[in-house]
């Protein structure tokens, strides 16, 4: 593990966006990181507190200048996929340790990446990142220089399914995702316009959401070689994500055995919380917590697992801080404590 400076400096690139702004707030308040700069193209010159008063970050957004801004210990890059890879590559050339929030470095198969996202913007770095789901990759993160923060659906899904996957218990799974509108980023579209979303629920990304191959990739690492059905729905809420997993198991599960496996999983990880009843998104709002509930259904023989996260926090920005903590040798909870 590289020896960490006393207070590592952290750049947040793309801080005018939803996840970048929150990342800037969390870095700025972190006891052992220093927020060195926040960047944006279209909002350069404006204070972040002007764009997002509730984050109370006074730093002024600047246009990214790699020569100047690259003189930092670490960076969180909160760009859209495609735009991220070249910036990540430039930061890595300056020796900056990077947590990338986009999808550019999550997949490890080039053909799969090309199928879902097209040409890669930094092919030499493809496959070099550690997948930044701290609960699964805790041992590899301290040595990581490039971390691919997972997608928000995969985070909730993999934390819900990891115990069953590791037990070889998943024959097939349907992942029913319900997501708040902030998951689509700051720019409004016809699909995310208030009038479209309010008092409505719709499915989207039918039979082809980009997070599905990421779920399959990581389930395979855990021991479940399945092609998951991943179906998102857009809810008329700003933040929050509920994932309901309907698992066809390889054998029958008693509730007591399920409880024991999940209690052990949650007990080993500070941000996992087992709930006596199915959790709601409000229960985890503005936290790095993933709330879980697992139930054996004797009628169908299936196992149902429910997982709630805040897409901007555990789904993105606070997950990035958890990763940075591990990369710099701190307790994974530092600055984002569950209680
Ligand atoms: N929102 C979520 O819940 C969530 C969860 C997990 C992961 N993610 C991922 O995290 C990344 C950021 O998401 P977000 O929701 O924060 O996005 P966002 O609100 O749209 O913000 C994107 C940021 O990137 C900057 N940017 C730089 N180059 C850009 C380009 N070529 N095109 C557009 N914007 C560019 C934007 O500012 P300027 O245009 O001013 O430069 C802005 O600061 C995405 O890759 C997303 O998939 C998001």
């Amino acid at each position: 593990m590289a020896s960490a400076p006393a207070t590592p400096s952290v750049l947040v690139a793309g801080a005018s966006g939803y996840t970048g702004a929150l990342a800037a707030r969390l870095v700025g308040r972190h006891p052992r990181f220093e927020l060195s700069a926040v960047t944006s193209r279209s909002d350069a010159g404006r204070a972040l507190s002007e764009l997002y008063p509730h984050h109370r970050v006074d730093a002024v957004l600047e246009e990214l200048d790699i020569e100047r801004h690259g003189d930092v210990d670490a960076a969180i890059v909160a760009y859209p996929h495609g735009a991220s890879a070249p910036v990540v590559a430039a930061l890595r050339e300056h020796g900056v340790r990077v947590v990338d929030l986009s999808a550019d470095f999550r997949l490890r198969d080039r053909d799969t990446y090309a199928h879902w996202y097209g040409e890669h913007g930094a092919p030499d770095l493809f496959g070099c990142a550690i997948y930044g789901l701290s609960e699964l990759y805790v041992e590899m993160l301290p040595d990581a220089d490039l971390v691919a923060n997972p997608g928000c659906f995969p985070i909730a899904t993999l934390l819900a399914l990891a115990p069953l996957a590791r037990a070889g218990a998943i024959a097939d799974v349907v992942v029913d995702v319900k997501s708040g509108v902030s998951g689509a980023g700051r720019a409004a579209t016809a699909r995310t316009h208030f009038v479209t979303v309010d008092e409505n629920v719709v499915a989207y990304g039918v039979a082809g959401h980009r997070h599905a191959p990421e779920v399959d990739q990581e389930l395979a690492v855990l021991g479940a070689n399945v092609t998951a059905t991943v179906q998102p729905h857009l809810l008329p809420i700003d933040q929050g994500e509920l994932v309901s997993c309907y698992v066809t198991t390889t054998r029958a599960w008693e509730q007591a055995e399920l409880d024991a496996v999940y209690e052990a999983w949650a007990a080993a990880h500070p941000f996992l919380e087992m709930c006596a009843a199915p959790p709601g998104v409000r229960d985890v709002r503005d936290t790095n917590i993933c709330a879980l509930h697992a139930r054996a259904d004797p009628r169908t023989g299936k196992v149902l697992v429910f997982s709630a996260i805040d897409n901007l926090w555990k789904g993105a920005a606070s997950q990035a801080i958890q990763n940075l903590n591990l990369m710099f040798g701190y307790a994974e909870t530092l600055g984002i404590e569950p209680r």
Side-chain angles (χ1 to χ4, degrees):
M1 191 196 312
S3 67
T7 310
S9 53
V10 180
L11 162 75
V12 178
S16 59
Y18 285 165
T19 61
L22 176 58
R25 161 177 153 184
L26 295 172
V27 170
R29 293 189 194 169
H30 194 281
R32 295 293 297 276
F33 292 126
E34 181 203 340
L35 181 63
S36 76
V38 287
T39 73
S40 154
R41 299 166 308 171
S42 41
D43 290 295
R46 299 177 73 188
L48 200 51
S49 56
E50 194 186 324
L51 267 59
Y52 299 98
H54 65 290
H55 287 324
R56 295 180 172 78
V57 177
D58 291 330
V60 174
L61 291 155
E62 304 168 49
E63 184 108 22
L64 179 66
D65 172 356
I66 291 284
E67 293 310 317
R68 196 158 51 86
H69 294 124
D71 186 20
V72 287
D73 297 302
I76 295 174
V77 178
Y79 281 11
H81 65 81
S84 194
V87 170
V88 169
L91 288 165
R92 286 297 307 126
E93 273 174 25
H94 279 70
V96 178
R97 303 179 80 189
V98 178
V99 177
D100 179 37
L101 299 194
S102 84
D104 283 356
F105 297 96
R106 294 176 195 154
L107 295 173
R108 288 187 286 274
D109 181 83
R110 284 182 195 270
D111 291 341
T112 307
Y113 183 90
H115 174 78
W116 291 92
Y117 297 99
E119 201 177 332
H120 197 270
D124 290 351
L125 278 184
F126 189 87
C128 293
I130 300 298
Y131 189 74
L133 187 46
S134 316
E135 284 75 7
L136 301 183
Y137 286 86
V138 61
E139 281 164 22
M140 297 170 83
L141 285 163
D143 293 322
D145 288 325
L146 174 54
V147 171
N149 230 54
C152 48
F153 304 170
I155 288 177
T157 304
L158 294 165
L159 293 177
L161 295 177
L164 292 174
R166 281 181 172 154
I170 303 179
D172 188 28
V173 60
V174 175
V175 181
D176 179 323
V177 183
K178 299 183 182 72
S179 173
V181 183
S182 61
R186 184 181 171 205
T189 64
R191 185 173 66 82
T192 60
H193 192 293
F194 178 83
V195 175
T196 315
V197 172
D198 188 41
E199 301 201 41
N200 200 7
V201 181
V202 286
Y204 67 98
V206 175
H209 195 276
R210 285 171 164 150
H211 284 171
E214 198 183 319
V215 168
D216 289 351
Q217 170 184 288
E218 296 304 317
L219 282 178
V221 173
L222 290 163
N225 280 301
V226 292
T227 303
T229 300
V230 179
Q231 183 52 60
H233 303 77
L234 193 61
L235 291 194
I237 57 174
D238 63 346
Q239 259 165 266
E241 192 173 294
L242 178 68
V243 167
S244 306
C245 302
Y246 312 121
V247 185
T248 304
T249 53
T250 51
R251 64 169 175 82
W253 281 72
E254 296 292 332
Q255 187 63 44
E257 186 187 8
L258 201 58
D259 288 343
V261 167
Y262 273 86
E263 290 296 349
W265 168 234
H269 300 285
F271 293 111
L272 302 187
E273 199 171 89
M274 287 313 296
C275 304
V281 294
R282 203 182 290 155
D283 307 342
V284 295
R285 170 120 190 171
D286 296 338
T287 77
N288 194 51
I289 290 171
C290 175
L292 297 168
H293 177 78
R295 191 83 64 85
D297 178 357
R299 191 179 69 86
T300 60
K302 295 191 189 220
V303 168
L304 313 182
V305 190
F306 304 93
S307 173
I309 62 169
D310 185 321
N311 57 294
L312 295 181
W313 285 69
K314 181 61 171 166
S318 58
Q319 172 62 77
I321 302 296
Q322 190 179 354
N323 286 329
L324 272 184
N325 281 337
L326 291 164
M327 290 162 74
F328 283 89
Y330 304 147
E332 63 187 308
T333 53
L334 194 63
I336 46 170
E337 286 79 2
R339 348 193 113 71

